[in-house]
């Protein structure tokens, strides 16, 4: 049984997020973590949350708190020697492991090195900590090696894991960890964070966050700009305009639309399965319109002529966006206006939706889903886009 610690803190521990935590939009979980670390820091802590939603940041807050010599308010003080060493990335008693290489996984070697490192005496005289980022990328051998360390943890050592999908971790690892689960961050706080980090105004931050399905991480990593939000709004507007355009006239606009979609495919996501290879289902309702794989490829390598993989990725990006428009049209036409993905586009959607029978948009949505499936099964991107444009409803 996992020692699940997902309940909110009790009255003796007021729910307040430590002031110096970098985590935003997860106040209850942050306060809960602070309480846990102050009371009885676990040897192994697993923080699980959707990719880009803040699990990695909360894991770093946990590291900083455990290392801090004089914690304040349940979090790091930010001023002591340990805090300064952590901030500069030079604390000798902290080992950080993340996936590397073309396979984007964590193999057994760094985990063996971790075990050897934790067995040594602390250089700074305090705790020794291993942070494993994107721990669900550990291969089987790595997980087996980690399990040995978790079974017999040296004293004053901690292993902190951040993961998007704990189902990929062995049950024996999960059962030895205190677990904190995160959902998506509070949208208001996440938008404010984007405003600060990306230097965009509030409406732009809100739109970018929606494009990323509520996950600020990919946007910050890709240093997204207001241009991405404007291009996104423009593509959606053009797709809405398709209904008033003769089918064959739409074909001439597809090239520019694909190029725009490629421009907001922020970085690195240049194979069509970029979103979440796990289930291969990128047509689900919460598939983001903007996405980025954790850095593994050099963007400098991008050539003028798109590779087949880039063409496929751009077509997929455009079709996902297109699907979002179809979904919003279907929702508005059935009266579910409050469920549309981009409420700021409501007037434009309503102007088109009510001009055709509601069933039209449901069928259009299913057609786009079929096109996305065909693209996943290696269909020709350009031919599929042409077919989608021709079969889109006409007013
Ligand atoms: Zn400190």
């Amino acid at each position: 049984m996992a020692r699940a610690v997902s309940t909110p803190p009790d009255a003796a521990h007021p729910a307040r997020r430590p002031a110096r935590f970098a985590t935003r939009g997860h106040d209850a979980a942050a306060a809960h973590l602070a309480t846990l670390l102050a009371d009885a820091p676990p040897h192994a802590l697993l923080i699980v949350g959707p990719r880009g939603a803040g699990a990695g940041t909360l894991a770093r807050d946990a590291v900083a708190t455990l290392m801090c010599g004089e914690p304040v308010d349940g979090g790091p003080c930010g001023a002591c020697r340990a805090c300064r060493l952590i901030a500069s990335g030079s604390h000798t008693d902290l080992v950080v492991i993340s996936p590397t290489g073309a396979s984007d996984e964590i193999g057994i070697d760094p985990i063996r090195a971790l075990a050897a490192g934790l067995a040594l005496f602390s250089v700074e005289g305090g705790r020794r900590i291993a942070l494993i980022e994107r721990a669900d990328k550990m291969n089987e051998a790595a997980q087996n090696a980690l399990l040995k360390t978790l079974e017999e943890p040296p004293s004053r050592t901690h292993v902190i894991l951040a993961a998007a999908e704990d189902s990929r971790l062995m049950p024996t690892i999960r059962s030895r960890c205190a677990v904190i689960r995160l959902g998506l961050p509070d949208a208001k706080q996440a938008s404010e964070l984007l405003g600060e980090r990306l230097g965009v105004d509030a409406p732009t931050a809100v739109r970018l966050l929606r494009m990323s399905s509520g996950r600020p991480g990919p946007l910050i990593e890709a240093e997204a700009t207001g241009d991405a939000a404007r291009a996104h709004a423009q593509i959606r507007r053009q797709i809405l305009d398709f209904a008033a355009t003769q089918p064959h006239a739409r074909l001439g606009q597809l090239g520019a639309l694909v190029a725009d979609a490629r421009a907001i495919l922020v970085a690195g996501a240049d194979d069509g399965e970029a979103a979440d290879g796990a289930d291969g289902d990128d047509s689900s309702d919460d598939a983001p319109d903007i996405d980025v794989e954790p850095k593994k490829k050099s963007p400098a390598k991008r050539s003028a002529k798109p590779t087949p993989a880039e063409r496929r990725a751009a077509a997929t990006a455009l079709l996902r966006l297109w699907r979002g428009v179809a979904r919003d049209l279907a929702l508005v036409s059935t009266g579910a206006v409050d469920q549309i993905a981009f409420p700021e586009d409501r007037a434009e959607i309503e102007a088109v939706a009510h001009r055709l029978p509601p069933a039209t948009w449901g069928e259009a949505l299913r057609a786009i889903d079929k096109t996305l499936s065909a693209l996943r099964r290696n269909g020709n991107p350009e031919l599929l886009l042409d077919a989608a444009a021709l079969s889109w409803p006409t007013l």
Side-chain angles (χ1 to χ4, degrees):
M1 270 291 284
R3 271 198 294 150
V5 277
S6 48
T7 47
D10 59 33
H13 301 99
R16 201 170 57 176
R17 142 192 191 280
R20 287 197 174 271
F21 267 22
T23 299
R24 300 278 283 275
H26 295 291
D27 286 359
H32 186 41
L33 173 65
T35 305
L36 178 73
L37 297 182
D39 286 356
H43 277 296
L45 170 67
L46 167 62
I47 300 178
V48 185
R51 187 161 58 82
T57 307
L58 191 60
R60 286 197 169 260
D61 281 335
V63 169
T65 305
L66 287 171
M67 285 298 201
C68 176
E70 303 164 48
V72 175
D73 198 17
C77 75
C80 71
R81 174 179 164 81
C83 282
R84 293 198 310 273
L85 288 172
I86 291 278
S88 64
S90 52
H91 200 303
T92 42
D93 293 326
L94 170 65
V95 183
V96 180
I97 295 173
S98 37
T100 52
S103 60
D104 194 37
E105 67 173 20
I106 299 172
I108 190 169
D109 290 345
I111 300 297
R112 278 195 179 133
L114 170 161
L118 287 181
L120 300 173
F121 286 110
S122 157
V123 176
E124 293 289 328
R127 295 173 161 128
R128 295 190 70 100
I129 300 181
L131 169 64
I132 307 181
E133 299 179 311
R134 295 167 61 215
D136 43 2
K137 297 283 185 179
M138 278 188 290
N139 65 24
E140 199 181 337
Q143 294 199 30
N144 276 311
L146 178 65
L147 185 59
K148 292 200 180 73
T149 299
L150 296 184
E151 280 168 345
E152 290 167 30
S155 64
R156 293 186 56 75
T157 66
H158 303 270
V159 177
I160 306 207
L161 304 98
E165 297 189 42
D166 61 336
S167 60
R168 291 190 198 174
L169 293 172
M170 298 184 338
T172 40
I173 286 183
R174 280 182 275 157
S175 68
R176 286 178 191 276
C177 295
V179 181
I180 289 184
R181 286 183 190 283
L182 303 182
L184 292 172
D186 172 76
K188 185 166 177 290
Q189 289 187 40
S191 306
E192 286 166 3
L193 173 68
L194 289 179
E196 289 165 26
R197 297 288 295 272
L198 303 176
V200 296
D201 61 25
T204 304
V206 167
R207 186 168 193 108
L208 285 170
L209 189 65
R210 288 189 180 128
M211 288 163 62
S212 177
S213 298
R215 305 167 308 135
L219 299 160
I220 292 170
E221 191 177 341
E223 296 171 11
T225 66
D227 288 346
R230 280 185 287 279
H232 182 266
Q234 174 64 21
I235 293 174
R236 280 178 58 103
R237 206 169 297 128
Q238 274 182 267
I239 293 172
L240 283 171
D241 286 347
F242 268 0
T245 309
Q246 283 309 307
H248 280 87
R250 297 168 191 162
L251 299 182
Q253 299 176 30
L254 283 174
L257 278 173
V258 171
D260 289 348
R262 193 186 305 138
I264 61 171
L265 246 189
V266 237
D270 37 356
D271 68 3
E273 309 306 321
D276 267 320
D279 50 13
D281 176 15
D282 51 10
S283 63
S284 66
D285 281 354
D286 59 353
D289 291 345
I290 193 168
D291 207 354
V292 59
E293 272 287 270
K295 290 188 185 74
K296 59 179 179 182
K297 290 168 192 157
S298 159
K301 275 176 63 187
R302 179 149 295 176
S303 60
K305 189 166 183 290
T307 64
E310 285 171 344
R311 282 167 44 216
R312 180 170 301 279
T316 303
L318 176 57
L319 278 165
R320 281 202 198 137
L321 251 149
W322 202 330
R323 184 187 189 280
V325 175
R327 183 176 176 275
D328 281 357
L329 284 164
L331 286 168
V332 164
S333 67
T334 54
V337 177
D338 57 334
Q339 290 176 41
I340 61 175
F342 291 88
E344 57 267 57
D345 300 347
R346 175 178 169 171
E348 294 167 77
I349 296 163
E350 284 180 328
V352 175
H354 294 311
R355 293 180 63 187
L356 289 170
T360 310
W361 300 117
E363 282 164 24
L365 176 57
R366 283 189 290 279
I368 296 290
D369 278 340
K370 276 186 192 159
T371 308
L372 272 165
S373 305
L375 193 57
R376 274 198 296 277
R377 292 192 308 268
N378 274 333
N380 177 296
E382 288 77 21
L383 291 180
L384 286 168
L385 284 174
D386 281 356
L390 291 173
S391 62
W392 186 249
T394 308
L395 297 180

